Amino acid sequence: MAPLSHPSIVDGWFREISSQWPGQALTLKVNKILHVEKSLYQDVLVFESETFGNVLVLDGAVQCTERDEFSGRYQEMIAHLPLASHPNPKKVLVIGGGDGGVVREVLKHDSVEEVVLCDIDEAVPRVSKQYLPHMASLLSDPRVTVFIGDGFKFLADNTATYDAIITDSSDPVGPAAALFEKPYFQLMHDALAPGGHISTQGECLWLHLPLIEELRTMTRNLFPVAEYAFTTIPTYPSGQIGFVLCSKEAGRDLRTPLRKVPNTRYYNSEVHKAAFVLPEFGRALLEEGRDILPKFGRAARAIKNQSENKPSKKVLLLGSGFVARPCAEYVVREPSNELTIACRTLENAKLLGEGLPSTTAVSLDVLDTAALEAAVAAHDLVISLIPYTYHAAVIAAAIKGKTHVVTTSYVSPAMRELDAAAKAAGIVVLNEIGLDPGIDHLYAVKTIGEVHAKGGKVKHFLSYCGGLPAPECANNPLGYKFSWSSRGVLLALSNPASFLSSSEKLSVTGSELMSWAKPYYISPAFAFVAYPNRDSTPYSEWYDIPEAETVIRGTLRYQGFPQFIAALVKLGWLDQTEKSWLVDNLTWAQVMQKAIGAADAEESTLIASVKQLCAFPDESEATRIISGLRWIGLFSQTEKVLPRAGNLLDTLCARLENLMKYEEGERDLVMLQHKFIVEWADGTEQTLTSTLEAYGSPKGHSAMALTVGLPAGIATQLVLDGVLSTPGVQAPYTKEICDPIREVLEREGLGLVEKVL
């Protein structure tokens, strides 16, 4: 059996990363993983930590640890604050808390005759009984009834019943958000007997004060008595957690216990009273509505902008693809920017903008010229992250509306034709500012300029870039996964390419491209192959290296990829022409038979035809590629094909998009390297390299998204600030454009490592 693993445990450390506490994370050293499962409702993880004993984690957030529960800090406080201040609690309902810790504490009150535990997920009590038995042991007590089901329905079915209701909820993310809203509190209110109390998990003063203020206002409108208390817990965010406490009895003093509670390790009468004494920043907001919190970061910049009367800028972002989020995040760091995200589907625009300040989502069809022109004209700058074929239309609209433009795409002939009109309109149209093209330009221009300044010549310039799965995730026969359009990736493999070699232009047809792939050394840790990409020859002019004998820009892939793609080409799977016979009642084997002209659809016949068409160099290579074709399913005698667009290419894309997607917890790799062979004035030669090796974060952005989106965001801000102000359609081929962008990029922690070999 394979060892247990979990995406939140990396290099032996558990990391609790959540949008609920941005910019910070709890980490715990892991001795071993004890349990991993996906229940019907959530991700369940139990591990043995080095210093906190066994730890229960639900959906990535720590629920309890043996060390914390030795003193029962959270469970004792959420239970004893409402019960010890109630004159005679007999019937208690616990919602959530399937680990049993709250039930254990409730049963310490002699007056309690009946406890109902309602948890929607049977996995929590089941797993807790096995790995946290000291907490779950009393779930079998005769006074306890365990009900697995929906707490909302249970409350609605049991009105005016309970003396106390305790909600041991998770944080307000996803479905649990409803447990922090008025309808749920109304249900609890109605399920209480006269004089009843509620106690709910109330989040952290350090992190969620605005939410706590909302809860306080809402509960005071529902209950005659509503209070907020808190306690400390080492493994909860910022080491603190709060409780919302309410009573149906007017005048009830929740702050003073009416009796001692036996056998506690954390709670006592003095701790009970002290729990309601809030730090001044919390008391001032919750009691007086005064916000005395310090202002820093974006909030401080907003105050500064206001004092300086800095005008606001309106930015329109077209597209909601995977690279758009890092770009959007950077743009809204500046409080004076107002961002509009436009997408054909409103829901996609809303999803991209979720949680971003000063951001509005709208629906926009870029094919509707009038709507596009109106939207562009209403903004100071438009970032176009839609397919490159639409950029010319966006630029034309921007010229009409006198709106600046930023794109990450290559300058097409149609875009270049608009240069004069853009200059006349006085707008900056900055393109090619992503990764490749983008970051590659910044460091090519830098190094070439430095070499020329020292009297040297760049005799050979080689630049290769690849977006790949990280090595540990390159676990399929192609060693590749899709982080953008599968169709775009496969079509790019058929593009012709040109480059300079020995001062002569060499051209490669699309059908020959994969045969030009050769091993390329960057580091002994990687088995890369490289092949040329597009037309590199103009860069001798654009980079101002007329002396260069070699100029090549290309693509990196892992060893074995080109041969596999070459086989797919020979077998016809990259054919875009419509096939009348490609219908949905065929098996994959039957489609393969028709594609390659085999006599029948038997696997042995298909394999023989594949070997004949591909002419593999040896049996080992034949076995490798045929095994990969089998992995794709192209020999399947039972599975029916689902044709897409009536052609083989798109039908294959639909298949590969599922097979070759990044799974949860996986990360990507971006590798970019420039190699400069330099001849100095004294005749000596040196090899200089500039290298970027960037990995994505399973809990954050992919490397590709960050390295494309962040430079675009930086360029946007520099245009808005007037740092980049030269009008016209342009790309970062000059020091004047490249230096400011590169300097900010490096301050963001992203840049190339420069070496002399």
Side-chain angles (χ1 to χ4, degrees):
M1 185 177 71
L4 294 175
S5 63
H6 194 273
S8 64
I9 297 175
V10 179
D11 297 330
W13 286 82
F14 165 78
R15 299 180 301 168
E16 185 186 65
I17 299 173
S18 171
S19 59
Q20 288 294 293
W21 37 92
Q24 65 183 67
L26 168 75
T27 62
L28 293 174
K29 183 72 182 296
V30 177
N31 286 343
K32 60 182 175 181
I33 301 175
L34 301 174
H35 183 83
V36 175
E37 76 168 277
K38 289 279 190 183
S39 75
L40 290 175
Y41 299 97
Q42 57 199 336
D43 178 88
V44 182
L45 165 68
V46 184
F47 64 87
E48 178 189 296
S49 71
E50 187 171 280
T51 51
F52 280 81
N54 289 357
V55 181
L56 173 64
V57 180
L58 300 179
D59 279 341
V62 172
Q63 302 301 302
C64 52
T65 76
E66 287 186 307
R67 178 176 174 180
D68 290 335
E69 293 320 311
F70 172 78
S71 61
R73 302 173 207 196
Y74 173 76
Q75 275 75 11
E76 287 187 9
M77 294 295 282
I78 200 172
H80 301 323
L81 290 175
L83 295 179
S85 56
H86 190 287
N88 189 30
K90 294 183 178 181
K91 298 183 70 174
V92 179
L93 170 63
V94 178
I95 295 179
D99 53 61
V102 174
V103 169
R104 176 195 65 199
E105 297 306 316
V106 169
L107 291 174
K108 291 178 180 178
H109 292 261
D110 292 337
S111 62
V112 171
E113 300 171 354
E114 177 186 344
V115 183
V116 176
L117 170 68
C118 177
D119 197 304
I120 198 168
D121 193 350
E122 63 78 29
V124 179
R126 169 172 51 82
V127 170
S128 298
K129 287 176 183 178
Q130 182 174 358
Y131 297 105
L132 298 163
H134 61 291
M135 294 180 65
S137 59
L138 291 183
L139 292 178
S140 58
D141 187 282
R143 292 168 290 176
V144 177
T145 300
V146 176
F147 176 81
I148 302 300
D150 182 6
F152 280 79
K153 187 177 187 305
F154 191 91
L155 287 168
D157 293 342
N158 292 273
T159 56
T161 301
Y162 295 99
D163 299 306
I165 299 173
I166 301 168
T167 302
D168 181 8
S169 70
S170 54
D171 298 296
V173 178
L179 302 178
F180 291 77
E181 295 171 354
K182 185 176 180 179
Y184 180 71
F185 279 83
Q186 184 69 60
L187 284 171
M188 286 194 292
H189 176 278
D190 297 344
L192 286 175
H197 292 181
I198 68 164
S199 176
T200 73
Q201 191 267 98
E203 294 301 321
C204 175
L205 281 167
W206 298 105
L207 300 172
H208 308 116
L209 199 51
L211 172 62
I212 295 168
E213 183 185 23
E214 292 176 13
L215 289 171
R216 189 70 179 278
T217 301
M218 180 259 290
T219 52
R220 283 185 166 177
N221 289 328
L222 287 175
F223 294 88
V225 178
E227 300 277 10
Y228 182 84
F230 76 99
T231 191
T232 60
I233 269 266
T235 54
Y236 282 6
S238 292
Q240 185 264 330
I241 197 71
F243 311 102
V244 175
L245 295 135
C246 305
S247 174
K248 287 181 79 171
E249 180 74 24
R252 180 67 54 80
D253 182 6
L254 296 173
R255 298 181 177 218
T256 304
L258 300 177
R259 71 190 72 82
K260 289 188 176 181
V261 181
N263 303 318
T264 60
R265 290 192 175 98
Y266 184 83
Y267 173 91
N268 60 38
S269 296
E270 295 306 309
V271 167
H272 183 124
K273 289 180 278 189
F276 295 87
V277 181
L278 304 183
E280 182 60 15
F281 71 88
R283 187 205 66 80
L285 186 64
L286 298 183
E287 300 295 339
E288 301 175 6
R290 289 190 301 115
D291 184 357
I292 61 172
L293 290 170
K295 301 296 185 290
F296 48 88
R298 189 177 189 276
R301 288 197 297 273
I303 294 171
K304 183 173 183 289
N305 290 346
Q306 188 175 12
S307 68
E308 296 175 351
N309 294 317
K310 183 175 181 178
S312 64
K313 298 286 187 179
K314 295 183 177 181
V315 179
L316 175 64
L317 192 158
L318 300 177
S320 59
F322 78 103
V323 303
R325 179 72 185 200
C327 180
E329 288 175 353
Y330 189 87
V331 169
V332 297
R333 281 195 209 173
E334 171 49 57
S336 63
N337 291 339
E338 298 173 11
L339 179 64
T340 302
I341 297 174
C343 187
R344 185 171 56 185
T345 306
L346 180 60
E347 286 305 310
N348 287 344
K350 288 181 176 178
L351 186 63
L352 174 60
E354 186 177 2
L356 295 180
S358 305
T359 300
T360 304
V362 300
S363 174
L364 177 65
D365 184 353
V366 296
L367 295 177
D368 183 338
T369 302
L372 176 63
E373 289 178 349
V376 170
H379 293 79
D380 298 289
L381 185 146
V382 55
I383 306 168
S384 185
L385 298 179
I386 54 180
Y388 75 94
T389 52
Y390 299 111
H391 289 333
V394 172
I395 296 169
I399 290 168
K400 189 172 182 179
K402 292 184 167 46
T403 301
H404 300 301
V405 182
V406 170
T407 85
T408 59
S409 300
Y410 286 103
V411 178
S412 68
M415 295 160 68
R416 203 176 297 280
E417 286 176 3
L418 296 170
D419 179 48
K423 289 176 178 174
I427 64 168
V428 177
V429 182
L430 182 57
N431 308 282
E432 302 188 22
I433 191 58
L435 167 65
D436 173 15
I439 295 177
D440 56 346
H441 295 327
L442 306 183
Y443 283 85
V445 170
K446 174 181 183 290
T447 300
I448 290 167
E450 291 171 347
V451 168
H452 286 171
K454 295 176 182 177
K457 296 179 180 180
V458 177
K459 303 298 291 182
H460 305 279
F461 172 73
L462 301 91
S463 177
Y464 290 100
C465 183
L468 298 157
E472 73 275 12
C473 304
N475 49 12
N476 64 51
L478 283 86
Y480 189 81
K481 294 190 176 180
F482 296 112
S483 57
W484 61 292
S485 162
S486 60
R487 193 176 202 273
V489 170
L490 294 180
L491 282 178
L493 301 173
S494 300
N495 288 335
S498 300
F499 57 95
L500 288 181
S501 178
S502 301
S503 301
E504 293 185 4
K505 181 176 180 178
L506 296 182
S507 295
V508 182
T509 64
S511 60
E512 299 175 312
L513 185 63
M514 290 299 97
S515 66
W516 280 76
K518 298 292 186 292
Y520 192 78
Y521 178 86
I522 289 179
S523 159
F526 298 96
F528 288 130
V529 293
Y531 52 88
N533 179 33
R534 296 176 175 262
D535 185 0
S536 302
T537 57
Y539 288 90
S540 59
E541 176 188 347
W542 292 341
Y543 284 169
D544 190 25
I545 45 173
E547 72 274 19
E549 299 169 13
T550 302
V551 177
I552 184 168
R553 299 171 81 253
T555 301
L556 294 172
R557 291 289 181 261
Y558 288 131
Q559 177 181 314
F561 176 88
Q563 293 83 356
F564 202 105
I565 295 298
L568 289 174
V569 171
K570 291 175 182 177
L571 298 173
W573 280 101
L574 268 60
D575 186 353
Q576 302 178 65
T577 59
E578 191 170 341
K579 309 293 182 187
S580 59
W581 51 262
L582 186 55
V583 293
D584 57 11
N585 64 342
L586 297 176
T587 65
W588 281 95
Q590 289 170 328
V591 173
M592 184 69 148
Q593 176 197 354
K594 292 179 178 293
I596 64 178
D600 58 59
E602 293 298 318
E603 181 170 315
S604 58
T605 306
L606 296 177
I607 289 175
S609 295
V610 167
K611 287 183 175 180
Q612 182 178 4
L613 287 169
C614 294
F616 299 115
D618 52 52
E619 191 59 31
S620 174
E621 183 72 348
T623 300
R624 181 181 75 85
I625 291 179
I626 289 169
S627 296
L629 298 175
R630 186 179 292 112
W631 173 81
I632 294 173
L634 300 184
F635 301 140
S636 174
Q637 306 288 326
T638 56
E639 188 175 356
K640 297 295 180 69
V641 73
L642 296 174
R644 179 191 283 181
N647 66 67
L648 291 171
L649 170 66
D650 287 292
T651 300
L652 178 66
C653 286
R655 181 76 168 176
L656 296 182
E657 284 165 6
N658 181 57
L659 288 173
M660 296 171 61
K661 65 179 183 293
Y662 281 91
E663 301 292 345
E664 183 181 359
E666 292 188 331
R667 61 180 187 156
D668 68 329
L669 160 69
V670 162
M671 180 68 79
L672 164 65
Q673 187 183 75
H674 295 321
K675 188 176 291 182
F676 310 86
I677 312 299
V678 176
E679 181 184 280
W680 297 110
D682 62 2
T684 60
E685 280 195 354
Q686 276 187 325
T687 300
L688 314 180
T689 61
S690 302
T691 308
L692 172 66
E693 181 180 338
Y695 292 88
S697 167
K699 292 284 188 178
H701 296 307
S702 69
M704 183 62 71
L706 186 66
T707 54
V708 175
L710 181 59
I714 291 170
T716 294
Q717 192 60 56
L718 292 173
V719 172
L720 291 173
D721 291 342
V723 177
L724 302 177
S725 58
T726 303
V729 176
Q730 54 200 295
Y733 300 155
T734 66
K735 178 180 174 65
E736 290 71 27
I737 297 175
C738 291
D739 283 2
I741 299 174
R742 193 190 69 255
E743 288 167 8
V744 178
L745 190 70
E746 290 176 351
R747 290 202 297 268
E748 294 293 318
L750 189 60
L752 274 61
V753 176
E754 298 169 300
K755 291 183 177 180
V756 178
L757 299 187

